[in-house]
Amino acid sequence: MPSPPPFSPSRRRTLALLLALASAGAAGTTACARTGSGRSGSGAITLDFWAWADIGQAVDLWNSTHPDVHVELSAPAGGASIFQRLSSAVAAGSGAPDLVQVDYNNLTTLAVAGYLEDITARAAALEPAFVPSAWRQVLIDGRVWAVPQDIGPMAMYYRQDIFEAHGLTVPRTWDAFRDTAARLRAADDSRYLTAYPAGDTFWFASLAAARGAQWFTTEGESWHVDIDGAPSRETADFWTELLADDLVTTSQHWNPAWHAALQDGTLATWLGPAWGAGTLTSYPPTAPEGVWRVASLPSVAADRPSSGYWGGSSTAVLAGSEHVAAAVEFAAWLNTDPDAADLLVDPEHSALFPASLSGQARPAVSRPHEAIGGRPIDDVFRAAADHTHVMTWGPTMDQVRDDFTDAVAAALGDGRPLRDALATAQGTTVAALEQKGLSVTA
């Protein structure tokens, strides 16, 4: 079994904030109850890496150019199942990897569990290599817990053919978005401007973040919870009014009915992330004249563009890895090397929108997208990333997601405003943090 990772004073303070434990060593003891890395028969270090994105080609390139460090890639599902698998491996005392691909919204949860290595000393110098808003997503209390991989800045995909047929102008503000929704419904009541996805907490969070919402902040060694703060309430009220006036419909992302609505033009826009272009490629318009375009996400004021992140991921090192230096070296290479970037953005594989500045500068990022009428989309999403308000994620995001989703469903079912769901999630989240023994202010 690997030895517990060393705890510097700065790391002790960070873990005290995260875990509210009397001793940072308690988290280290839990995290180090694992094995997984070692040496292959050739004498090279072997790093085990869990990732769900199709990045095998990039790993193969590393292995062919770095004979002393071999990376073994496996692909468990992402999101919550990563946490569940890590929990099982840690409990068993074996089988956990050296590195793991982590959604930004799950990073704090894994750090709180004591599963991640604080890589500040080895990775802080990487900051200039990344989009600033992406780098902020791997920081907790100023410490570095992962290397950014890809980002999901939000924009608006829209059906150009439908807009032109009805003389609609692409809305730049939320007020204009509402007016456009009303005009479309008046012109053709078989269509809606878009759909509200009742079961997608992180989609809502990205729009709330674009208005400046910050669901979690830290104050000393306490967590401050503000899920039902003013920006989130404004976001909820906006969608409540659109739904009440039948200007938008509801439909859950990724289900067959939603895909069909995108294809047949029932929905004329989708507020979606950079990685969403792949969905539109897989489900193209059924009408021969149908074509998608992409524009900036509407904002409160046209002269103050803003966006939020929906999705994106990072590469984190597991606490207790016997090869932290090699793991950080690989994570840095994977997410900054130009040749690796070309493989990560390849539409035949992962089609990621890179977090690194060097990756965003690669010609492959500016490739034409079949789904967008053969046009590139990178300029719109680069600008979105520059104007993104970064949400700080809390240590119980699975609970937040589930409680908010359930509360939204209940509010819609009862005809209540969506802000009621925010109040519910605020209360259950404070209770969940307190149940973990964390210091909380609200």
Side-chain angles (χ1 to χ4, degrees), residues 2-5 7 11 27-28 30-35 90 96-98 110 114-118 145 316-322 324:
S3 300
F7 288 88
R11 189 175 185 210
T30 299
C32 74
R34 58 173 292 275
T35 59
V90 168
D98 296 278
L110 294 180
Y115 293 168
L116 302 185
E117 182 76 16
D118 178 349
W145 292 89
V317 179
L318 271 290
S321 170
E322 295 177 346
V324 172

Tab-separated table of all heavy atoms in Angstrom, residues 2-5 7 11 27-28 30-35 90 96-98 110 114-118 145 316-322 324:
chain	number	residue	atom	x	y	z
A	2	PRO	N	0.573	2.253	-0.830
A	2	PRO	CA	1.375	3.459	-0.842
A	2	PRO	C	1.337	4.154	0.500
A	2	PRO	O	0.385	4.045	1.263
A	2	PRO	CB	0.692	4.317	-1.929
A	2	PRO	CG	-0.106	3.368	-2.740
A	2	PRO	CD	-0.504	2.267	-1.815
A	3	SER	N	2.381	4.910	0.767
A	3	SER	CA	2.424	5.691	2.001
A	3	SER	C	1.491	6.889	1.875
A	3	SER	O	1.223	7.370	0.784
A	3	SER	CB	3.850	6.181	2.253
A	3	SER	OG	4.726	5.083	2.369
A	4	PRO	N	0.990	7.401	3.015
A	4	PRO	CA	0.149	8.597	2.948
A	4	PRO	C	0.905	9.750	2.324
A	4	PRO	O	2.103	9.911	2.529
A	4	PRO	CB	-0.185	8.879	4.419
A	4	PRO	CG	0.032	7.575	5.125
A	4	PRO	CD	1.152	6.906	4.390
A	5	PRO	N	0.226	10.585	1.521
A	5	PRO	CA	0.888	11.740	0.930
A	5	PRO	C	1.287	12.730	2.005
A	5	PRO	O	0.605	12.872	3.020
A	5	PRO	CB	-0.193	12.333	0.000
A	5	PRO	CG	-1.491	11.858	0.572
A	5	PRO	CD	-1.194	10.512	1.171
A	7	PHE	N	1.735	16.214	4.023
A	7	PHE	CA	0.805	17.320	4.195
A	7	PHE	C	1.577	18.559	4.633
A	7	PHE	O	2.061	18.635	5.749
A	7	PHE	CB	-0.271	16.969	5.239
A	7	PHE	CG	-1.254	15.976	4.733
A	7	PHE	CD1	-1.009	14.622	4.860
A	7	PHE	CD2	-2.406	16.402	4.089
A	7	PHE	CE1	-1.915	13.705	4.370
A	7	PHE	CE2	-3.316	15.479	3.603
A	7	PHE	CZ	-3.071	14.125	3.742
A	11	ARG	N	-1.465	22.758	2.615
A	11	ARG	CA	-2.417	21.697	2.294
A	11	ARG	C	-3.283	21.378	3.503
A	11	ARG	O	-4.467	21.079	3.383
A	11	ARG	CB	-1.688	20.438	1.828
A	11	ARG	CG	-2.706	19.419	1.278
A	11	ARG	CD	-2.055	18.197	0.700
A	11	ARG	NE	-3.114	17.371	0.120
A	11	ARG	CZ	-3.057	16.066	0.035
A	11	ARG	NH1	-2.012	15.417	0.484
A	11	ARG	NH2	-4.047	15.384	-0.494
A	27	ALA	N	-7.896	12.658	6.285
A	27	ALA	CA	-8.216	12.492	4.875
A	27	ALA	C	-7.139	11.710	4.170
A	27	ALA	O	-7.405	10.876	3.313
A	27	ALA	CB	-8.380	13.869	4.208
A	28	GLY	N	-5.877	11.946	4.522
A	28	GLY	CA	-4.798	11.227	3.879
A	28	GLY	C	-4.861	9.748	4.157
A	28	GLY	O	-4.578	8.922	3.290
A	30	THR	N	-7.527	7.964	4.635
A	30	THR	CA	-8.558	7.376	3.792
A	30	THR	C	-8.087	7.272	2.359
A	30	THR	O	-8.236	6.252	1.711
A	30	THR	CB	-9.831	8.247	3.858
A	30	THR	OG1	-10.283	8.280	5.207
A	30	THR	CG2	-10.916	7.673	2.977
A	31	ALA	N	-7.506	8.372	1.865
A	31	ALA	CA	-7.144	8.401	0.457
A	31	ALA	C	-6.057	7.416	0.115
A	31	ALA	O	-6.004	6.893	-0.994
A	31	ALA	CB	-6.693	9.820	0.083
A	32	CYS	N	-5.168	7.118	1.052
A	32	CYS	CA	-4.023	6.302	0.688
A	32	CYS	C	-4.330	4.809	0.766
A	32	CYS	O	-3.477	3.997	0.434
A	32	CYS	CB	-2.833	6.618	1.595
A	32	CYS	SG	-3.012	5.952	3.256
A	33	ALA	N	-5.535	4.465	1.174
A	33	ALA	CA	-5.872	3.046	1.283
A	33	ALA	C	-6.141	2.476	-0.094
A	33	ALA	O	-7.240	2.125	-0.454
A	33	ALA	CB	-7.088	2.861	2.183
A	34	ARG	N	-5.093	2.457	-0.928
A	34	ARG	CA	-5.271	2.037	-2.306
A	34	ARG	C	-3.932	1.585	-2.865
A	34	ARG	O	-2.867	1.962	-2.383
A	34	ARG	CB	-5.798	3.211	-3.149
A	34	ARG	CG	-4.880	4.425	-3.101
A	34	ARG	CD	-5.316	5.497	-4.065
A	34	ARG	NE	-5.128	5.073	-5.434
A	34	ARG	CZ	-3.984	5.195	-6.100
A	34	ARG	NH1	-2.933	5.706	-5.515
A	34	ARG	NH2	-3.883	4.796	-7.340
A	35	THR	N	-3.982	0.802	-3.875
A	35	THR	CA	-2.821	0.504	-4.691
A	35	THR	C	-3.274	0.539	-6.124
A	35	THR	O	-4.448	0.504	-6.427
A	35	THR	CB	-2.243	-0.897	-4.387
A	35	THR	OG1	-3.262	-1.883	-4.624
A	35	THR	CG2	-1.751	-0.994	-2.965
A	90	VAL	N	-11.210	2.436	-3.075
A	90	VAL	CA	-10.559	2.872	-1.844
A	90	VAL	C	-10.968	1.973	-0.686
A	90	VAL	O	-10.147	1.569	0.148
A	90	VAL	CB	-10.893	4.345	-1.553
A	90	VAL	CG1	-10.467	4.739	-0.146
A	90	VAL	CG2	-10.206	5.251	-2.576
A	96	ALA	N	-7.650	1.365	-7.360
A	96	ALA	CA	-7.829	2.758	-7.745
A	96	ALA	C	-6.713	3.172	-8.701
A	96	ALA	O	-5.590	2.672	-8.628
A	96	ALA	CB	-7.833	3.663	-6.517
A	97	PRO	N	-6.988	4.103	-9.624
A	97	PRO	CA	-5.977	4.509	-10.604
A	97	PRO	C	-5.019	5.555	-10.035
A	97	PRO	O	-5.169	6.010	-8.899
A	97	PRO	CB	-6.827	5.102	-11.724
A	97	PRO	CG	-7.972	5.738	-10.985
A	97	PRO	CD	-8.269	4.782	-9.837
A	98	ASP	N	-4.058	5.932	-10.859
A	98	ASP	CA	-3.172	7.051	-10.526
A	98	ASP	C	-3.770	8.376	-10.983
A	98	ASP	O	-3.529	9.412	-10.367
A	98	ASP	CB	-1.806	6.860	-11.198
A	98	ASP	CG	-1.089	5.637	-10.693
A	98	ASP	OD1	-0.461	5.723	-9.636
A	98	ASP	OD2	-1.176	4.582	-11.359
A	110	LEU	N	-14.645	15.037	-4.921
A	110	LEU	CA	-13.552	14.079	-4.791
A	110	LEU	C	-12.462	14.604	-3.861
A	110	LEU	O	-11.848	13.834	-3.116
A	110	LEU	CB	-12.968	13.749	-6.169
A	110	LEU	CG	-13.894	13.006	-7.130
A	110	LEU	CD1	-13.183	12.744	-8.451
A	110	LEU	CD2	-14.365	11.690	-6.526
A	114	GLY	N	-11.081	13.204	0.052
A	114	GLY	CA	-9.677	12.899	0.292
A	114	GLY	C	-9.048	12.058	-0.791
A	114	GLY	O	-7.974	11.491	-0.597
A	115	TYR	N	-9.693	11.967	-1.954
A	115	TYR	CA	-9.212	11.073	-3.004
A	115	TYR	C	-8.161	11.717	-3.914
A	115	TYR	O	-7.482	10.997	-4.649
A	115	TYR	CB	-10.376	10.611	-3.880
A	115	TYR	CG	-11.379	9.722	-3.185
A	115	TYR	CD1	-12.598	9.442	-3.779
A	115	TYR	CD2	-11.120	9.161	-1.942
A	115	TYR	CE1	-13.530	8.625	-3.148
A	115	TYR	CE2	-12.034	8.352	-1.310
A	115	TYR	CZ	-13.239	8.092	-1.918
A	115	TYR	OH	-14.155	7.280	-1.290
A	116	LEU	N	-8.073	13.047	-3.916
A	116	LEU	CA	-7.210	13.725	-4.877
A	116	LEU	C	-5.958	14.293	-4.233
A	116	LEU	O	-5.968	14.707	-3.075
A	116	LEU	CB	-7.983	14.851	-5.576
A	116	LEU	CG	-9.248	14.459	-6.316
A	116	LEU	CD1	-9.816	15.676	-7.048
A	116	LEU	CD2	-9.007	13.311	-7.290
A	117	GLU	N	-4.908	14.325	-5.017
A	117	GLU	CA	-3.632	14.907	-4.603
A	117	GLU	C	-3.646	16.406	-4.868
A	117	GLU	O	-4.057	16.871	-5.950
A	117	GLU	CB	-2.491	14.265	-5.406
A	117	GLU	CG	-1.116	14.753	-5.034
A	117	GLU	CD	-0.614	14.158	-3.724
A	117	GLU	OE1	-1.181	13.157	-3.251
A	117	GLU	OE2	0.361	14.707	-3.181
A	118	ASP	N	-3.216	17.176	-3.904
A	118	ASP	CA	-2.989	18.609	-4.103
A	118	ASP	C	-1.712	18.746	-4.925
A	118	ASP	O	-0.618	18.433	-4.453
A	118	ASP	CB	-2.846	19.284	-2.743
A	118	ASP	CG	-2.547	20.777	-2.834
A	118	ASP	OD1	-2.235	21.270	-3.937
A	118	ASP	OD2	-2.611	21.448	-1.797
A	145	TRP	N	-5.939	21.334	-7.949
A	145	TRP	CA	-6.345	19.952	-7.702
A	145	TRP	C	-6.451	19.124	-8.978
A	145	TRP	O	-6.755	17.928	-8.922
A	145	TRP	CB	-7.673	19.929	-6.950
A	145	TRP	CG	-7.515	20.466	-5.564
A	145	TRP	CD1	-7.622	21.766	-5.167
A	145	TRP	CD2	-7.163	19.727	-4.389
A	145	TRP	NE1	-7.367	21.889	-3.824
A	145	TRP	CE2	-7.093	20.645	-3.315
A	145	TRP	CE3	-6.927	18.375	-4.141
A	145	TRP	CZ2	-6.772	20.259	-2.014
A	145	TRP	CZ3	-6.629	17.987	-2.839
A	145	TRP	CH2	-6.550	18.921	-1.801
A	316	ALA	N	-7.043	14.659	-12.955
A	316	ALA	CA	-6.619	14.764	-11.564
A	316	ALA	C	-5.739	13.577	-11.188
A	316	ALA	O	-5.835	12.493	-11.778
A	316	ALA	CB	-7.833	14.830	-10.640
A	317	VAL	N	-4.893	13.783	-10.188
A	317	VAL	CA	-4.007	12.739	-9.668
A	317	VAL	C	-4.587	12.237	-8.346
A	317	VAL	O	-4.979	13.034	-7.486
A	317	VAL	CB	-2.580	13.277	-9.458
A	317	VAL	CG1	-1.669	12.182	-8.892
A	317	VAL	CG2	-2.016	13.814	-10.778
A	318	LEU	N	-4.621	10.924	-8.188
A	318	LEU	CA	-5.172	10.348	-6.963
A	318	LEU	C	-4.173	10.451	-5.817
A	318	LEU	O	-2.977	10.168	-5.991
A	318	LEU	CB	-5.548	8.887	-7.190
A	318	LEU	CG	-6.957	8.600	-7.708
A	318	LEU	CD1	-7.994	8.885	-6.642
A	318	LEU	CD2	-7.255	9.401	-8.976
A	319	ALA	N	-4.662	10.858	-4.659
A	319	ALA	CA	-3.819	10.879	-3.472
A	319	ALA	C	-3.365	9.454	-3.169
A	319	ALA	O	-4.140	8.508	-3.241
A	319	ALA	CB	-4.590	11.446	-2.281
A	320	GLY	N	-2.100	9.310	-2.830
A	320	GLY	CA	-1.562	7.989	-2.549
A	320	GLY	C	-0.877	7.349	-3.733
A	320	GLY	O	-0.290	6.278	-3.599
A	321	SER	N	-0.949	7.987	-4.932
A	321	SER	CA	-0.211	7.454	-6.066
A	321	SER	C	1.274	7.433	-5.738
A	321	SER	O	1.804	8.370	-5.132
A	321	SER	CB	-0.448	8.312	-7.317
A	321	SER	OG	0.430	7.944	-8.361
A	322	GLU	N	1.952	6.372	-6.119
A	322	GLU	CA	3.384	6.263	-5.878
A	322	GLU	C	4.202	7.063	-6.888
A	322	GLU	O	5.430	7.165	-6.757
A	322	GLU	CB	3.797	4.793	-5.919
A	322	GLU	CG	3.176	3.964	-4.806
A	322	GLU	CD	3.530	2.492	-4.911
A	322	GLU	OE1	4.023	2.077	-5.989
A	322	GLU	OE2	3.315	1.768	-3.934
A	324	VAL	N	3.486	10.495	-8.309
A	324	VAL	CA	2.799	11.773	-8.496
A	324	VAL	C	3.494	12.621	-9.552
A	324	VAL	O	2.847	13.226	-10.408
A	324	VAL	CB	2.700	12.529	-7.164
A	324	VAL	CG1	2.156	13.941	-7.374
A	324	VAL	CG2	1.808	11.763	-6.184
